[in-house]
Amino acid sequence: MSAFGPGAPARPGDVRPGTGGPELVRLGAEEMLRLLTPARAADALAAALLGGLDPETCPRRTALDVPGGELLLMPAAAGAYAGVKIAGVAPGNPARGLPRITGSYLLLDGPTLRPLALLDGAALTTLRTPAVSALALRHLAPEGRPLRLVLFGSGPQAYGHLEAVLGVRELAEVVVVARDPARAALLVEHAGALGAAARTGVPGDVAGADLVLCCTTAREPLFDGRLVAPGAVVVAVGSHEPDARETDTALVRRAAVYVESRAAALREAGDLLVPEAEGAIGPGHINGTLADLVTGRIAVGGRPGCPQLFKSVGMAWEDLAVAVALFEAAAGATSET
């Protein structure tokens, strides 16, 4: 997997009439899921970090309030590529039978800024976020035994995270906790189809969990952080707003905390900013970053016997890394046919 380089047209010989440039590749949700698993997307993220990409320098997310919700603009550039995701967060859409997250991703050739590919932005987010979590879990999750997972949520991210975790660790049990019993039951059925023993549960089930994944739209803590066992790993991905959180102050205060980027977390991670505003922690409470874990710059684990928390807000460099991997996978698939 190239870490954003050297870059090439996805379909050699396919030229857009009148432009001299490559035909714009269009990748829809179904094709993207066929081209790349969360595990391979995690490999692309790791390659970018091992190649020297510094998430601390990544452009910040621009957010605009609009009548239907929030419009997000996420640009990034590295090596031979650049790109931008335009995403919409529309809380009222599920009631209309529409996805909550919408959008598109435009991938560009870095040196010339010629458009190369247009990707389904919601599908990219659905793939990228579990890949980030999978990469963190490769370094944080216990090894050598089947793990008990408590999974909060029943939407696309919950499904994606289940697949991502199954790609990096063996699971003894999956416990699904969700507001909608019918949707929770469907996710349990899906987990069973993937070969995992599964059932629905309640927030208190975190007391017996090795892994806790929070993939919800909650704005208040989902469970009592005092119940989380020493050595357990909690991953929270559901929010990027300073006043929204899925985990409580009790967990954050006792946990070894890892983030994608200190700068991004201290702008957007309500899971950390709310406890900081309460005076429970300071900015130095963050133990390390995803890049620290991947490159081996720090030892994993924090204080002996404490839980570990990975808080993700989602960053533009991650979208770019996964978009490039998809684009190059599509090029490979085309060249083989």
Side-chain angles (χ1 to χ4, degrees), residues 40 45 60 64 83-84 90 105 116 121 129 148 166 242-243 322:
R40 288 188 60 199
L45 296 167
R60 64 174 61 197
L64 175 68
V84 60
Y105 192 91
L116 296 176
T129 307
R148 185 166 182 250
L166 287 169
D243 58 349
V322 176

Side-chain angles (χ1 to χ4, degrees), residues 137-180:
L137 288 172
R138 287 179 182 176
H139 299 275
L140 297 176
E143 295 185 89
R145 60 184 173 87
L147 304 178
R148 185 166 182 250
L149 166 66
V150 174
L151 176 58
F152 286 88
S154 58
Q157 283 298 337
Y159 282 81
H161 274 77
L162 176 60
E163 180 182 349
V165 173
L166 287 169
V168 297
R169 291 294 186 270
E170 182 181 356
L171 296 180
E173 183 183 34
V174 177
V175 181
V176 177
V177 184
R179 291 177 298 180
D180 186 329

Side-chain angles (χ1 to χ4, degrees), residues 98-267:
L98 299 172
R100 180 175 176 270
I101 305 296
T102 66
S104 298
Y105 192 91
L106 181 64
L107 181 67
L108 309 169
D109 175 70
T112 65
L113 297 183
R114 290 180 295 111
L116 296 176
L118 185 66
L119 294 79
D120 183 307
L124 179 62
T125 302
T126 300
L127 176 61
R128 172 264 278 168
T129 307
V132 173
S133 298
L135 183 56
L137 288 172
R138 287 179 182 176
H139 299 275
L140 297 176
E143 295 185 89
R145 60 184 173 87
L147 304 178
R148 185 166 182 250
L149 166 66
V150 174
L151 176 58
F152 286 88
S154 58
Q157 283 298 337
Y159 282 81
H161 274 77
L162 176 60
E163 180 182 349
V165 173
L166 287 169
V168 297
R169 291 294 186 270
E170 182 181 356
L171 296 180
E173 183 183 34
V174 177
V175 181
V176 177
V177 184
R179 291 177 298 180
D180 186 329
R183 293 181 62 180
L186 287 174
L187 183 51
V188 165
E189 182 179 348
H190 179 72
L194 296 177
R199 64 174 176 85
T200 59
V202 296
D205 282 313
V206 298
D210 300 296
L211 302 178
V212 179
L213 300 185
C214 305
C215 310
T216 75
T217 59
R219 302 190 66 85
E220 299 293 338
L222 296 165
F223 56 89
D224 183 347
R226 295 172 298 181
L227 298 176
V228 176
V233 179
V234 179
V235 175
V237 306
S239 69
H240 62 266
E241 298 173 74
D243 58 349
R245 57 179 178 161
E246 295 174 294
T247 60
D248 66 5
T249 299
L251 174 66
V252 173
R253 187 165 46 202
R254 58 189 286 254
V257 177
Y258 302 90
V259 297
E260 297 143 299
S261 150
R262 283 181 168 84
L266 295 176
R267 284 195 307 266

